Amino acid sequence: MKKSLKTTEHLALLKTLYSLRVGAGLRQSDLAKLIDEPQSFVSKVEQGERRLDIIELRVIVKALGTSLEHFIKEFEKNINETK
Amino acid sequence: MKKSLKTTEHLALLKTLYSLRVGAGLRQSDLAKLIDEPQSFVSKVEQGERRLDIIELRVIVKALGTSLEHFIKEFEKNINETK
DNA sequence: AAAAGAATATCCCATAATAGGATATTAACA
DNA sequence: TGTTAATATCCTATTATGGGATATTCTTTT
């Protein structure tokens, strides 16, 4: 399965993640600290350079104060808005 | 972020995926065909040998006739039942 | 507008993960 | 038990990732 980068879905994912972080008033280094990763990790994720499996996404989303379920809803919403 | 294998979350994920496929009455090769991947891919996924990002998970879950949102609910349910 | 500071992106490359056809195992059952 | 169906494992060339250091870009401040 090819690295699903730059597809509508992937762009929507990045957008959803970014909005959530910024909406939480955190900078990459803040989130990084919360999940015990370097800032470059967060940057790569937001850049689509690094992919996240659901478990990882769950950790991040929770660190940002949301549930995975809610995140997915936002994600789907963004997919529809984009296409 | 380490390969989240064999954690409660990961086991719950595999369980959720497996149940969904079997529940749909499909064998690995059937699902494989639906998502245009070899049978070994599906096996690896179910074995926890291959991780899925949300985009990929979404494709699979849809091929199995479910929404990502519903899948996540089942997933969370399984996490709680396991721990 | 330029300097200073803050936030984010990119580099590098050793290490780890993945692809996928072929083959081995295990399960089902006549 | 022999046979077929279903799933797991092998192998290794290719691709992805880790993460500290550094470069870039964005914001302020004066």
Side-chain angles (χ1 to χ4, degrees), chain B residues 14-61:
Chain B
L14 300 189
K15 183 179 178 181
T16 311
L17 270 174
Y18 179 82
S19 300
L20 189 56
R21 174 176 66 80
V22 174
L26 300 178
R27 66 210 124 149
Q28 294 186 341
S29 57
D30 295 325
L31 171 55
K33 195 152 294 182
L34 288 175
I35 61 177
D36 193 40
E37 291 287 341
Q39 172 268 327
S40 59
F41 174 86
V42 176
S43 174
K44 285 174 181 175
V45 166
E46 294 189 353
Q47 230 57 35
E49 181 70 24
R50 169 59 155 86
R51 298 195 285 176
L52 300 171
D53 64 25
I54 346 75
I55 316 278
E56 296 174 322
L57 178 64
R58 187 167 179 271
V59 169
I60 290 178
V61 161

Side-chain angles (χ1 to χ4, degrees), chain A residues 25-37:
Chain A
L26 301 177
R27 63 208 124 151
Q28 294 186 340
S29 56
D30 295 324
L31 171 56
K33 195 153 295 182
L34 288 175
I35 61 178
D36 193 41
E37 291 287 340

Side-chain angles (χ1 to χ4, degrees), chain A residues 30-47:
Chain A
D30 295 324
L31 171 56
K33 195 153 295 182
L34 288 175
I35 61 178
D36 193 41
E37 291 287 340
Q39 172 267 327
S40 58
F41 174 87
V42 177
S43 173
K44 285 175 182 174
V45 167
E46 295 189 352
Q47 229 56 37

